[in-house]
Amino acid sequence: MSVAQPVATKAPATTDTLTIRDDRTGKTYVLPIQDGAIKSSDLSKIKGSPDDLLGMLTYDPGFMATAAVKSSITYIDGDRGILRYRGYPIEEVAQKCTFLEVAYLLLNGDLPTGQQLADWSDEVTHHTFIHENIKKFIDGFRHDAHPMGMLMSTVAALSTFYPEAKRIADETPRRKQIVRLIAKMPTIAAFSYRHVAGLPYAYPDNDLSYAGNFLNMMWKTTELKYRPDPILERALETLFILHADHEQNCSTSAVRVVGSSKADPYSAVAGGVGALYGPLHGGANEQVLRMLEDIGSVDRIPEHIERVKKGELRLMGFGHRVYKNYDPRAKIIKRIADQVFEVTGRNRLLDIALELEKVALEDEYFVSHRLYPNVDFYSGIIYQAMGFPVEMFTSLFAIGRTPGWLAQWEEGLLDPDQKIARPRQIYTGPAERHVEG
Ligand code: ACO
């Protein structure tokens, strides 16, 4: 049997190569490895026959092993439970930074100086109001509309108010929409809550912090000035920071995919809000609360765990595509919970959550599947203790995630490697056939 000579790419000088032998043809291919990856497009050189025009594809539902971007924003080591924003450990930024500092960091690559922070905060603060017609738009929703549906549609509607948002190649209008989105997300989220509650809208108070102003728009009633509890204000600020970015998750990928067609940022972020809404992603925090309510008492936990193990249910707030050891955000959240409960009183669901975590962490099923509490397991319990209705939980996540979405959107836009997202498929339908008659 003759051995085919290597074809296709020339072997680079280093040993960072992958040699593939195609047993269909006997040909061998040497593909360069860069940054631990091969280029999928190099696989197209591997052809089963001369009329195979596409060449070899990779089949990867859910992008389990596909890097679609190069990014310098967020680093995650899922095995070691590490999360860093632009190199800073999440534990440090959560403790020492404000949310707007973190937003600046994600968008610009470095933490702001004192002056840069003052200017940035001023800019965001001056865009917290929404056009009065947007208020009318929110008025049009049903009395029981879900806040995430309202948020998604209203963010999309913003693109009609700022037509210059289409000028994504110009830095000045591009940056202006980024500021507007970060500034207006809390306003839209709070207004959608007030709409459902039948309360008059509370306008932004620009003397307050980003989180403090959001609490004001949620809860202000007849008082002349709303003064947030400083512990709850800082807790919410920290929760926003913990959610600010998480590299190429489902919603961020949605933002990047929409952005890859050069759509305006409101349309791209509306796509991200839609992806976040789902119960396997940001919607999990709402589902955790519903699950804890359903379980109802500690003695019913074993029965629930058995149902999960039989595959009848998923343990919401457990498991993560990337973290297979622990989610560092969940650890920080657990500490925040203690501070919040000092102010609000202990959430009765906490005992169920703590016991559920204990049982699950010792159980063979969860250990062997490497399932640990994720960011959503405790966040809902805190939000509920702070008075947020369950339906609002995912909107709180969306507010926090907005700077990350926008940093990733802009990075994709400016990356010369990026192209319109357009995956391939493996067609499984009928071969050509014809309509009779
Ligand atoms: N409860 C019970 N079993 C689970 C869970 C869970 N929460 N999560 C995963 N598994 C099991 C699966 O049944 C599967 O088991 P099998 O191999 O025996 O069939 C195995 O673990 C792998 O699960 P996948 O769904 O393939 O893992 P994937 O990485 O695709 O999913 C996800 C990750 C979606 C987060 C999943 O763990 C899940 O559904 N968790 C519950 C929802 C949740 O909390 N989502 C929030 C994620 S964090 C965030 O978005 C901010």
Side-chain angles (χ1 to χ4, degrees):
M1 191 178 81
S2 67
V3 178
Q5 291 303 305
V7 292
T9 48
K10 257 199 285 171
T14 71
T15 51
D16 283 351
T17 55
L18 177 71
T19 302
I20 299 177
R21 193 186 121 89
D22 185 344
D23 292 329
R24 297 171 303 177
T25 59
K27 287 183 182 168
T28 303
Y29 300 81
V30 182
L31 308 184
I33 300 175
Q34 213 188 1
D35 302 319
I38 57 161
K39 278 192 177 170
S40 303
S41 56
D42 281 347
L43 296 174
S44 63
K45 292 163 189 150
I46 304 177
K47 295 178 190 292
S49 62
D51 57 359
D52 175 3
L53 298 179
L54 268 181
M56 184 66 71
L57 296 176
T58 56
Y59 177 57
D60 188 12
F63 311 115
M64 301 283 286
T66 297
V69 306
K70 289 182 179 172
S71 179
S72 62
I73 300 171
T74 289
Y75 173 78
I76 299 177
D77 179 335
D79 282 328
R80 293 195 291 152
I82 291 174
L83 168 61
R84 296 185 197 130
Y85 293 161
R86 301 278 191 186
Y88 292 105
I90 189 66
E91 295 78 8
E92 280 178 37
V93 285
Q95 200 190 348
K96 296 182 181 169
C97 297
T98 64
F99 177 66
L100 286 183
E101 277 180 287
V102 170
Y104 186 100
L105 170 70
L106 292 171
L107 285 158
N108 299 295
D110 287 305
L111 282 167
T113 62
Q115 189 56 50
Q116 284 168 333
L117 181 60
D119 293 346
W120 168 242
S121 306
D122 199 50
E123 234 186 312
V124 172
T125 302
H126 277 87
H127 285 92
T128 50
F129 279 68
I130 51 175
H131 194 289
E132 287 292 297
N133 285 357
I134 282 282
K135 249 177 46 185
K136 290 190 200 146
F137 182 84
I138 295 175
D139 281 342
F141 285 106
R142 269 177 62 112
H143 64 93
D144 56 355
H146 195 285
M148 279 297 276
M150 289 193 264
L151 187 66
M152 176 166 52
S153 332
T154 311
V155 169
L158 285 182
S159 75
T160 66
F161 284 75
Y162 306 109
E164 78 274 20
K166 288 188 173 56
R167 288 171 41 212
I168 51 174
D170 288 354
E171 188 177 354
T172 308
R174 187 173 71 235
R175 281 278 155 155
K176 188 149 193 187
Q177 314 318 317
I178 288 178
V179 170
R180 281 187 172 131
L181 268 160
I182 293 172
K184 293 181 199 306
M185 287 296 270
T187 315
I188 299 169
F191 279 25
S192 54
Y193 161 71
R194 307 276 296 203
H195 170 70
V196 170
L199 291 165
Y201 301 124
Y203 281 74
D205 179 343
N206 291 338
D207 293 339
L208 297 174
S209 70
Y210 189 86
N213 171 47
F214 177 62
L215 291 171
N216 156 69
M217 291 187 290
M218 286 291 298
W219 311 127
K220 186 170 189 281
T221 50
T222 55
E223 65 273 50
L224 283 179
K225 178 119 188 130
Y226 178 84
R227 296 193 194 283
D229 179 284
I231 292 179
L232 301 187
E233 182 183 5
R234 180 61 208 171
L236 187 61
E237 181 109 18
T238 312
L239 284 159
F240 286 158
I241 292 171
L242 295 181
H243 287 93
D245 195 48
H246 213 234
E247 50 117 308
Q248 310 312 316
N249 56 86
C250 176
S251 56
T252 301
S253 299
V255 170
R256 278 189 180 256
V257 167
V258 177
S260 77
S261 75
K262 309 289 184 222
D264 68 82
Y266 299 103
S267 305
V269 170
V273 177
L276 191 71
Y277 195 176
L280 295 189
H281 190 15
N285 54 16
E286 186 175 336
Q287 297 308 321
V288 170
L289 240 283
R290 299 201 189 283
M291 175 187 78
L292 295 174
E293 298 273 12
D294 273 358
I295 295 174
S297 60
V298 169
D299 58 307
R300 293 191 55 204
I301 289 176
E303 176 194 330
H304 190 83
I305 295 274
E306 279 316 303
R307 291 189 65 196
V308 171
K309 284 160 65 176
K310 279 191 208 147
E312 291 173 21
L313 303 165
R314 284 207 160 194
L315 191 54
M316 298 313 286
F318 264 67
H320 199 275
R321 172 64 60 77
V322 183
Y323 296 120
K324 298 297 175 196
N325 186 338
Y326 67 91
D327 180 340
R329 302 167 300 173
K331 274 196 173 172
I332 301 170
I333 285 189
K334 236 174 141 177
R335 280 201 298 273
I336 300 174
D338 293 335
Q339 295 158 14
V340 168
F341 297 149
E342 292 265 313
V343 179
T344 61
R346 196 176 157 87
N347 187 328
R348 65 184 177 81
L349 295 176
L350 183 67
D351 291 331
I352 303 174
L354 286 170
E355 183 61 19
L356 193 58
E357 179 185 352
K358 189 165 158 270
V359 173
L361 291 183
E362 285 165 2
D363 189 287
E364 164 55 22
Y365 176 89
F366 293 89
V367 174
S368 63
H369 285 76
R370 304 180 74 191
L371 297 170
Y372 297 86
N374 59 46
V375 67
D376 288 324
F377 191 63
Y378 285 103
S379 62
I381 299 176
I382 302 178
Y383 294 146
Q384 191 183 51
M386 290 173 81
F388 291 105
V390 178
E391 292 76 19
M392 275 300 286
F393 294 179
T394 315
S395 301
L396 298 171
F397 191 153
I399 295 172
R401 183 55 55 88
T402 300
W405 283 334
L406 291 164
Q408 301 268 357
W409 167 75
E410 193 178 45
E411 187 180 58
L413 207 64
L414 301 179
D415 178 352
D417 278 359
Q418 286 301 313
K419 292 181 176 303
I420 185 166
R422 204 315 184 176
R424 294 289 184 168
Q425 65 164 10
I426 296 167
Y427 178 69
T428 60
E432 183 178 357
R433 52 182 169 165
H434 299 280
V435 180
E436 279 180 25

